[in-house]
Amino acid sequence: MKIISFYSNEKQLIKKSIAGDREAQKRLYEQHAPKMLSICRQYVKDLHFAEDVMINGFVKVFKYLDSFRFEGSFEGWIRRIMVRESITHLRKQQFVVFDEGIFEKTAAPSITTSIDLDIAHIQSLIDGLPEGYRAVFVMFAVEGYSHTEIAEMLNISEGTSRSQLFKARKMLKEKLKQQNIIGYGTE
């Protein structure tokens, strides 16, 4: 007996979801949720809040699914919604702070005995950045937005975006340098 996979074609799955097919919507969600959660998690430090942001993002995905024009990547379309939803969450929580003196206010990194630069470790380093630095860093370095786009989305100047990115990179380099010194026992 041959098993036929329903909704194997993403375009068909999207069209059925637009028509209100709950099974198709569920499959779209299951197909994209893990990656979208990781995107939200890059912006939102707390996993539970990141999950909430992702769910709110998917509510918007299904609400505006009929506006998807089948031009370009569907995943990219969802990704933009998740990024904007994450930024909206940060604004509502008043976590995005673009303070020139925040670099001096951050706590010293925790001491580690070895360096294992896996994804979780890198994410924890990024999580250690102040909210404004992290938002700009993720949008530029991970998502690939230009400073013009970042400035528009965060309602800041391009100069502030560039400054925040510079400071975020500097802070990450310092953290890596300190861990390297501690990890190898040399100064």
Side-chain angles (χ1 to χ4, degrees):
M1 179 171 160
K2 184 176 181 181
I3 298 175
I4 300 172
S5 176
F6 293 109
Y7 312 120
S8 59
N9 180 337
E10 188 170 67
K11 187 173 183 178
Q12 178 187 20
L13 193 60
I14 295 167
K15 287 181 179 182
K16 294 230 181 237
S17 294
I18 291 170
D21 184 328
R22 294 289 185 200
E23 182 62 28
Q25 291 172 347
K26 179 182 174 192
R27 289 180 187 247
L28 266 182
Y29 174 83
E30 289 172 348
Q31 184 177 351
H32 294 283
K35 188 174 264 184
M36 296 307 125
L37 179 58
S38 70
I39 290 166
C40 294
R41 177 65 184 78
Q42 291 172 347
Y43 290 91
V44 180
K45 200 183 275 192
D46 185 290
L47 178 61
H48 295 98
F49 285 128
E51 288 172 341
D52 289 344
V53 169
M54 182 196 68
I55 296 298
N56 290 336
F58 269 106
V59 167
K60 287 186 178 179
V61 165
F62 290 117
K63 182 177 181 179
Y64 299 108
L65 192 57
D66 59 344
S67 69
F68 179 67
R69 289 175 260 167
F70 299 97
E71 297 170 359
S73 164
F74 180 63
E75 183 178 306
W77 184 77
I78 295 176
R79 176 184 281 264
R80 288 188 74 81
I81 291 172
M82 295 299 163
V83 168
R84 290 181 187 274
E85 193 64 27
S86 296
I87 292 168
T88 298
H89 170 79
L90 292 174
R91 281 190 182 143
K92 284 180 184 175
Q93 298 301 317
Q94 298 178 350
F95 285 146
V96 179
V97 177
F98 297 98
D99 180 8
E100 293 297 319
I102 203 161
F103 184 75
E104 290 77 25
K105 296 176 191 174
T106 59
S110 62
I111 298 174
T112 59
T113 57
S114 66
I115 295 181
D116 182 17
L117 292 179
D118 60 1
I119 293 172
H121 182 72
I122 293 170
Q123 183 64 52
S124 71
L125 291 175
I126 293 171
D127 285 346
L129 293 173
E131 295 294 332
Y133 291 9
R134 185 174 63 241
V136 172
F137 179 80
V138 170
M139 292 177 79
F140 186 86
V142 178
E143 298 293 332
Y145 288 108
S146 70
H147 287 292
T148 304
E149 293 169 317
I150 295 168
E152 181 181 316
M153 292 168 85
L154 295 178
N155 198 23
I156 59 175
S157 70
E158 282 185 54
T160 300
S161 176
R162 291 178 195 281
S163 171
Q164 297 295 308
L165 178 63
F166 173 79
K167 291 175 182 178
R169 285 179 171 165
K170 182 177 177 181
M171 189 179 255
L172 286 172
K173 284 179 187 178
E174 282 298 315
K175 286 181 180 188
L176 289 171
K177 182 179 174 186
Q178 288 176 353
Q179 288 180 356
N180 189 28
I181 292 170
I182 295 166
Y184 291 107
T186 60
E187 290 192 38

